[in-house]
Structure formats: structure tokens, C-alpha cells
Amino acid sequence: LDTMLILDASKKSESIYKGRLGAIKCPVLLTGSLADKVVVNIEVGIANIAKQILTSKVVLFPAGGHTLMLSRPEAFRAEVIGFIEKINL
């Protein structure tokens, strides 16, 4: 998704998902950094998304930037691999 699209929707208190998140039935890993300087209060946004995707898992890292996979690659990779291994059981 385009970061500017997300920021614009956030400023307008709109959702970019148009109420379709509940239709997702596959496992979803939602990650973020509590130190994200782009998405303020990321934990609130991710919690709102997770409430709509019943098959989601939320992982919030205490440190890292907006692009978590670049700022914390080892930790991010380990979390993704563990998630994939768990859903493939």
C-alpha cells in the first residue's frame, strides 16, 4: 500500500480498506514498531485491523523504524518464519 494513501486516510479518519477486512479468512501477520515515527499510535491502528481479521496475529516490536523489515531485519525475519511454520503445521 502507498504510505501517502494511508496517511491521507488517517488524517481524514477514513479507512482505506472500505470495510472489507472481515472477508479475509487466511492467516495474517500484522507487524509494526512502537517506535514508528510515521504511523502515530500504531498499536491502536493494528489492534483495529486485528479485530476485523479474526485469523490475524499481531507482533509489535519495541524498536525499529517504519519499514520494520529494513530496520530490524533479523527479528522481522524470525517472526515471519515462525508464523509461516506455525500455519503450515
Side-chain angles (χ1 to χ4, degrees):
L1 292 172
D2 183 294
T3 300
M4 294 310 296
L5 172 73
I6 295 169
L7 290 173
D8 186 52
S10 176
K11 289 175 187 172
K12 296 176 183 175
S13 296
E14 296 176 350
S15 172
I16 62 170
Y17 305 110
K18 311 293 184 200
R20 298 175 293 181
L21 292 176
I24 298 173
K25 304 301 179 204
C26 65
V28 174
L29 178 62
L30 301 169
T31 63
S33 169
L34 295 172
D36 191 325
K37 302 293 185 212
V38 176
V39 181
V40 180
N41 298 321
I42 193 168
E43 64 277 14
V44 174
I46 285 184
N48 288 334
I49 292 170
K51 287 178 196 174
Q52 297 173 67
I53 304 173
L54 301 180
T55 55
S56 66
K57 175 185 177 184
V58 174
V59 177
L60 292 171
F61 293 81
H66 179 66
T67 51
L68 190 59
M69 68 283 296
L70 299 177
S71 62
R72 300 281 315 274
E74 295 83 13
F76 180 79
R77 187 178 309 112
E79 199 60 54
V80 170
I81 289 170
F83 178 75
I84 291 170
E85 287 174 345
K86 185 176 179 182
I87 63 174
N88 281 331
L89 294 178

